[in-house]
Amino acid sequence: SIGAAALRTALVMAKKTVLVPPYPGADFLYLLLHHSLAPSASALQRAGDKREYMKWARPLQLLEIPRVDVVVVATCVVASNGVRLGKGKGYGEVEWGILTELGAVDESVPVYTLCHDLQVVRSEDLPADMMESHDLPVDAFATPSGVTKCEAKAMPRKPFGVRWDLVGADLEHDIGALRELRGLDPQALAAHRAAARRFSAPIADQTAEEWQALTDACVS
């Protein structure tokens, strides 16, 4: 989260809509960041800092979450085959699972991560069989050296849905939106997901170009 602060600020300054998770224990999945919500120019310049945006970002209920163009996840280690290891709590996978349930993302939505060059390892050292079926791979990663697009043929498939069998009491407390998801009417959720998919469109090459430009701007 701290490492992505510069990227969040750059995105908001570029007038993108950014969805960010709150502190653990909140009853909603995301806060919405947008340049129009920042109360001042100084707040806008610090928009990616959680201590700043928690003052003015807008909480979203699950059915308010719009279609997502790009997902950025945390990583500890990543390889060019798309395999990544997170911090082990599963927050990124749960968020992705909830978004798939809502129809806000699907397998076509690119997943990116930011890390240092020292966190990049060879694909032989991080093979695809190290990932569980619910783990989320990445399509590309950005380091101070540049952006690397992962090998599409080697990438594991992106998962769908929430693995409720892996959701314990602590995780459900930390990501309170899981309780909201449990409470949604299944038919209403299915209709919402179908409607969201009708408005989905392939991600243009411009997304990768913008990602490159934004991450370049964040590297000092």
Side-chain angles (χ1 to χ4, degrees):
S1 179
I2 295 173
L7 177 62
R8 290 193 294 263
T9 297
L11 288 167
V12 175
M13 295 285 283
K15 299 185 178 181
K16 304 295 184 182
T17 298
V18 183
L19 306 181
V20 293
Y23 288 113
D27 59 0
F28 53 90
L29 186 65
Y30 289 128
L31 291 155
L32 185 146
L33 305 186
H34 193 265
H35 77 283
S36 63
L37 298 176
S40 65
S42 61
L44 184 60
Q45 292 171 351
R46 300 192 307 274
D49 187 328
K50 183 172 284 190
R51 293 167 297 182
E52 173 60 39
Y53 68 67
M54 288 294 293
K55 301 174 186 176
W56 48 264
R58 183 167 72 86
L60 295 177
Q61 298 302 308
L62 288 183
L63 298 185
E64 294 181 304
I65 294 174
R67 178 74 182 180
V68 174
D69 293 326
V70 174
V71 171
V72 180
V73 292
T75 193
C76 292
V77 181
V78 68
S80 61
N81 58 0
V83 177
R84 59 172 273 277
L85 299 180
K87 293 182 289 186
K89 291 191 173 182
Y91 288 176
E93 279 73 18
V94 171
E95 289 178 28
W96 174 268
I98 293 174
L99 292 176
T100 62
E101 297 272 12
L102 297 171
V105 299
D106 56 34
E107 198 166 331
S108 69
V109 173
V111 179
Y112 298 149
T113 193
L114 296 169
C115 63
H116 193 275
D117 291 286
L118 294 174
Q119 295 171 269
V120 180
V121 300
R122 300 180 307 165
S123 295
E124 307 91 87
D125 296 327
L126 206 62
D129 59 14
M130 289 187 66
M131 297 187 74
E132 302 288 344
S133 60
H134 61 278
D135 287 332
L136 183 62
V138 296
D139 295 278
F141 54 86
T143 72
S145 298
V147 174
T148 300
K149 186 175 181 180
C150 297
E151 307 152 15
K153 292 183 179 180
M155 282 181 55
R157 293 195 64 177
K158 294 169 187 168
F160 174 87
V162 174
R163 282 284 304 273
W164 290 105
D165 57 311
L166 299 178
V167 176
D170 289 344
L171 186 57
E172 190 158 341
H173 171 268
D174 288 349
I175 304 179
L178 286 165
R179 295 189 295 275
E180 183 183 355
L181 183 63
R182 282 186 189 274
L184 291 177
D185 177 73
Q187 291 185 335
L189 180 59
H192 180 84
R193 182 165 60 242
R197 286 175 174 169
R198 284 198 296 271
F199 288 99
S200 66
I203 303 300
D205 291 339
Q206 184 183 5
T207 301
E209 295 171 2
E210 289 181 331
W211 171 255
Q212 176 77 62
L214 286 164
T215 52
D216 285 349
C218 297
V219 176
S220 57

